[in-house]
């Protein structure tokens, strides 16, 4: 699953699901665990935790953000004290699984 974070990210498109997509109505427990693990690692500065969930595979969504003027900071820089969102709490996780390769979450 892809998680894009940023202070100035604007939507680059609208997700339109057709009836044939048949999304799962309730959040998938694996998706929920992945989101929780990511934010736990992010807020505590757990580099090993980030590496277990982070993928180095290229993504068209990330490329769109970079081409629109965004940048990719290293995890080393993002996880240091003062840079990470230490103490941030997440709640109200919603997710929709569209396929084995596509899911969307809001936190």
């Amino acid at each position: 699953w892809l998680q894009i974070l940023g202070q100035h990210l604007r939507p680059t498109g609208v997700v339109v699901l057709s009836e044939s997509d048949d999304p799962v109505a309730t959040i998938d427990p694996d998706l929920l665990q992945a989101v929780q693990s990511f934010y736990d690692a992010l807020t505590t500065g757990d580099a090993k935790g980030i590496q277990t969930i982070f993928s180095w595979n290229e993504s068209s969504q990330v490329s769109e953000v970079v081409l629109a003027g965004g940048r990719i900071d290293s995890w080393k820089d993002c996880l240091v004290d003062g840079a990470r969102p230490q103490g941030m709490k997440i709640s109200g996780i919603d997710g929709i699984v569209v396929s084995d390769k596509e899911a969307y979450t809001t936190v």
Side-chain angles (χ1 to χ4, degrees), residues 3-89:
Q3 191 78 11
I4 299 178
L5 304 173
Q7 293 177 324
H8 304 290
L9 293 178
R10 296 181 182 166
T12 59
V14 177
V15 175
V16 178
L17 300 175
S18 69
E19 289 183 29
S20 64
D21 287 327
D22 192 26
V24 176
T26 59
I27 191 165
D28 181 278
D30 292 334
L31 179 58
L32 177 62
Q33 182 58 50
V35 170
Q36 187 66 54
S37 295
F38 173 79
Y39 281 101
D40 287 347
L42 178 66
T43 58
T44 62
D46 179 6
K48 285 185 180 182
I50 285 289
Q51 293 304 322
T52 62
I53 199 165
F54 179 75
S55 171
W56 288 99
N57 296 338
E58 290 189 21
S59 164
S60 62
Q61 292 92 341
V62 174
S63 296
E64 287 177 22
V65 171
V66 172
L67 290 172
R71 72 169 194 239
I72 300 174
D73 295 325
S74 73
W75 281 116
K76 180 182 174 187
D77 292 337
C78 293
L79 296 177
V80 297
D81 286 337
R84 68 178 184 264
Q86 193 170 357
M88 180 179 82
K89 304 285 185 213

